[in-house]
Amino acid sequence: MRYMLIMRTPTEFEMPADFDFTEVINAMGAYNESLIKAGVLLSGDGLAPAEEGFVVDFDSTPPVVTDGPYAEAKELFTGFWIIQTSSKEEAAEWAKRCPLGPGTRLEVRLMTETEDFDQSNEYIQKEYEWREQLGTHTPVQG
């Protein structure tokens, strides 16, 4: 089972003046290392500030692109991990170990697998080929 752990931070969150970024890097590095040693980490990255991103709104034709930051947002995604575990409970245990502070949330979402869809669909079959070519196909775990 693959899960995405999505780090969410309130838009009004500001770093304290005495913020020690080295401490955060060390804590996250130790967490990532524990995920790797346990064999559950598939991927993970931090995200640049919202000002560097944009939103594509499909409510109109053609879709409208709006640069960040996003006034209507209450929280921003600031990073993620993709882990593979044998159960929801194991994913929850790993999520609880993440070294995040007050005001930050970690949303945990089960990711769909190619095997979850109609296997006779042409694009599902192509998906297997594409993942093989990209080296991103993850084996199904019981």
Side-chain angles (χ1 to χ4, degrees):
M1 302 169 83
R2 291 182 307 147
Y3 286 89
M4 178 178 255
L5 284 58
I6 306 164
M7 192 176 354
R8 299 184 335 186
T9 306
T11 54
E12 71 278 355
F13 180 79
E14 290 188 29
M15 296 290 183
D18 62 345
F19 181 75
D20 183 0
F21 199 66
T22 302
E23 186 177 315
V24 171
I25 291 173
N26 291 342
M28 284 297 180
Y31 178 66
N32 291 340
E33 185 174 43
S34 68
L35 291 167
I36 292 166
K37 284 182 178 178
V40 298
L41 183 65
L42 298 177
S43 180
D45 271 302
L47 301 175
E51 292 80 10
E52 301 294 323
F54 56 90
V55 171
V56 180
D57 185 344
F58 291 90
D59 281 342
S60 59
T61 305
V64 175
V65 176
T66 305
D67 289 337
Y70 322 109
E72 68 280 358
K74 293 184 175 138
E75 292 180 321
L76 297 173
F77 296 143
T78 54
F80 72 94
W81 294 264
I82 297 176
I83 62 172
Q84 186 164 344
T85 63
S86 60
S87 68
K88 179 180 181 179
E89 293 75 21
E90 183 183 358
E93 285 304 313
W94 281 109
K96 289 191 294 187
R97 294 178 195 171
C98 190
L100 300 176
T104 307
R105 295 175 182 230
L106 195 60
E107 180 178 340
V108 180
R109 301 279 300 272
L110 179 64
M111 297 176 67
T112 58
E113 303 291 346
T114 311
E115 293 81 6
D116 295 336
F117 298 95
D118 177 3
Q119 299 301 296
S120 65
N121 182 287
E122 156 189 17
Y123 284 100
I124 295 302
Q125 292 306 309
K126 287 182 179 183
E127 183 75 23
Y128 284 109
E129 295 170 24
W130 295 332
R131 289 180 183 225
E132 187 70 32
Q133 289 171 2
L134 295 171
T136 59
H137 184 50
T138 54
V140 177
Q141 208 177 27

